[in-house]
Amino acid sequence: MAPSGKKKEKVFHPNSRKAGQLVRTQLRKSKLVELAKERSKKQGTQVSIYNFFYHALPPEEGVLSLEELHYIVKDVWLTRHDQELEAEKASRRKGRPKSAKEMKLEELKLREVELYRTGMEVIDLTHPTNVELFRKWDQKGAAYIQQLRFIRISSESPETVIVSRVGQHPLLKREEEQKKQAVAEQAQAMDTDEAPLLLEPPSNFASTMQTMDGV
């Protein structure tokens, strides 16, 4: 019998560690999607976005890697309305125009996908101090969030991170100042290394030259 050419899907034993990881990942994704839907109905758009990323944090202490942050945006945030959109498409009779809800969901997804492609600003969940501060948020007001550090990431350049807001919280400002000071000290040390070495005062050089000339 000729091979079908289809790639076989990996099957993991139900009790294996890998299977457990896949199940936990899927459950976490489903939970995040439901939370995003619920909170967007009850709260303003901006606060609901912050809440979504708040619940995307690891349950225990720790930060997300850049790869994990992209996964949260690409595979969870951008797909949160997919089931609802598919249901709208399925309920539409053949030849009938799209419903207002279907068009709204399609436009929203296209807009968000394009934003992510060109550069989407998100709370920096890869920064330890920023994550620690974010965990203290009351999940209600947006004013506290404005003090935090934000970065811009994109699907076109997933390895590139642009710091769009360094953060105005005292802890973040102190860290930034310390970083600037360390960079300045390093630059100063490099300048010193590259400068001509004057091991003797200029007056000593002058006296040596006079002696050589026999004056």
Side-chain angles (χ1 to χ4, degrees), residues 9-214:
E9 185 179 351
K10 283 189 176 181
V11 178
F12 300 100
H13 190 278
N15 296 326
S16 70
R17 183 179 177 184
K18 186 65 178 178
Q21 289 175 344
L22 291 174
V23 170
R24 286 194 296 273
T25 299
Q26 190 58 41
L27 287 173
R28 183 166 175 74
K29 178 177 177 179
S30 301
K31 184 178 179 182
L32 283 172
V33 170
E34 290 306 314
L35 282 169
K37 288 179 182 177
E38 284 180 27
R39 293 184 180 280
S40 61
K41 293 175 184 176
K42 297 178 183 178
Q43 301 170 321
T45 305
Q46 202 62 48
V47 175
S48 68
I49 293 174
Y50 297 150
N51 261 293
F52 170 83
F53 283 99
Y54 180 88
H55 288 282
L57 287 171
E60 304 82 16
E61 293 182 2
V63 300
L64 295 179
S65 66
L66 182 59
E67 184 181 0
E68 289 170 333
L69 185 54
H70 274 287
Y71 168 81
I72 293 296
V73 172
K74 178 170 64 73
D75 293 329
V76 185
W77 175 252
L78 294 180
T79 63
R80 68 194 185 282
H81 295 303
D82 281 7
Q83 289 184 350
E84 200 173 354
L85 183 57
E86 287 304 316
E88 282 293 313
K89 289 179 180 179
S91 63
R92 176 163 43 93
R93 293 180 184 176
K94 189 176 180 180
R96 299 288 295 174
K98 297 179 181 180
S99 66
K101 184 176 182 180
E102 184 179 346
M103 288 191 293
K104 182 180 178 181
L105 290 173
E106 284 184 338
E107 288 171 4
L108 176 63
K109 181 161 187 178
L110 286 172
R111 189 165 61 247
E112 291 180 341
V113 167
E114 178 62 16
L115 176 64
Y116 178 45
R117 185 186 71 79
T118 57
M120 178 179 177
E121 189 181 57
V122 296
I123 297 172
D124 190 355
L125 302 184
T126 68
H127 189 278
T129 304
N130 202 53
V131 169
E132 184 181 345
L133 291 170
F134 190 27
R135 289 183 187 277
K136 297 177 180 178
W137 181 44
D138 62 5
Q139 303 179 57
K140 295 177 183 177
Y144 177 80
I145 299 297
Q146 302 309 315
Q147 301 183 73
L148 302 183
R149 174 186 169 101
F150 282 74
I151 56 176
R152 198 174 295 280
I153 59 176
S154 73
S155 59
E156 275 197 341
S157 185
E159 295 180 359
T160 301
V161 174
I162 298 173
V163 179
S164 54
R165 287 186 258 173
V166 295
Q168 295 303 310
H169 191 280
L171 287 178
L172 294 172
K173 291 176 76 172
R174 187 189 310 160
E175 274 194 6
E176 190 64 21
E177 286 300 319
Q178 289 172 347
K179 185 195 294 184
K180 287 180 180 178
Q181 186 177 352
V183 170
E185 289 175 355
Q186 185 177 5
Q188 186 178 3
M190 290 176 66
D191 290 342
T192 303
D193 291 341
E194 293 174 0
L197 291 176
L198 295 178
L199 300 178
E200 297 286 344
S203 57
N204 289 0
F205 282 100
S207 60
T208 302
M209 292 176 65
Q210 288 175 356
T211 303
M212 290 177 66
D213 292 339

